[in-house]
Amino acid sequence: QVQLVESGGGLVEPGGSLRLSCAASGSGFSNYAYTMGWFRQAPGKAREFVGSVRRGTTYHADSVKGRFTISRDTAKNTVYLQMNSLKFEDTAVYYCAAGSRLILSTIRDSNAYDYWGQGTQVTVSS
């Protein structure tokens, strides 16, 4: 079993920044074996891929490229999502996810991830 705990959400004005953290724990977890991802879900919308990191390589959704950066601290078993130049449309609950069976073609598929955090709210508002 793997446990994921997110932190760092909150209220921010447009153009502002936030950094989300996701700490992984559990006897079966390893940084090499697990792909870590960030997804978000806005009210009334489907959950969408934001970014992921797999064996040192990062991937980002087109909608956040150049504004958001996913990174990983293997010593802390923690993945981060640095969000800059935030827009109203970035408002959502952000979820951290982990999976050990992902291949490159499934990086953006939420169904491919095995474990999920509880979610953290990000609200962009003036």
Side-chain angles (χ1 to χ4, degrees):
Q1 279 290 74
V2 174
Q3 294 78 45
L4 303 173
V5 178
E6 300 118 332
S7 60
L11 174 65
V12 63
E13 292 184 347
S17 298
L18 279 176
R19 189 177 81 155
L20 306 183
S21 301
C22 173
S25 62
S27 59
F29 181 81
S30 78
N31 289 293
Y32 180 80
Y34 277 83
T35 297
M36 301 293 292
W38 286 99
F39 290 78
R40 66 186 181 185
Q41 188 165 20
K45 293 189 176 182
R47 190 168 295 190
E48 68 169 339
F49 171 78
V50 175
S52 66
V53 54
R54 179 176 183 265
R55 298 178 184 175
T57 301
T58 59
Y59 306 87
H60 297 83
D62 288 343
S63 59
V64 305
K65 271 182 186 175
R67 300 189 299 122
F68 292 11
T69 303
I70 190 169
S71 61
R72 191 172 195 169
D73 185 334
T74 56
K76 297 181 178 180
N77 288 347
T78 298
V79 63
Y80 303 97
L81 184 67
Q82 178 67 44
M83 304 186 294
N84 299 326
S85 302
L86 282 159
K87 304 176 181 180
F88 292 118
E89 53 265 40
D90 295 318
T91 295
V93 177
Y94 284 69
Y95 296 91
C96 176
S100 62
R101 298 171 291 114
L102 279 82
I103 58 177
L104 200 53
S105 62
T106 62
I107 286 290
R108 291 169 171 78
D109 182 359
S110 62
N111 292 316
Y113 292 79
D114 302 309
Y115 301 100
W116 291 84
Q118 79 284 1
T120 185
Q121 177 71 46
V122 171
T123 302
V124 183
S125 175
S126 54

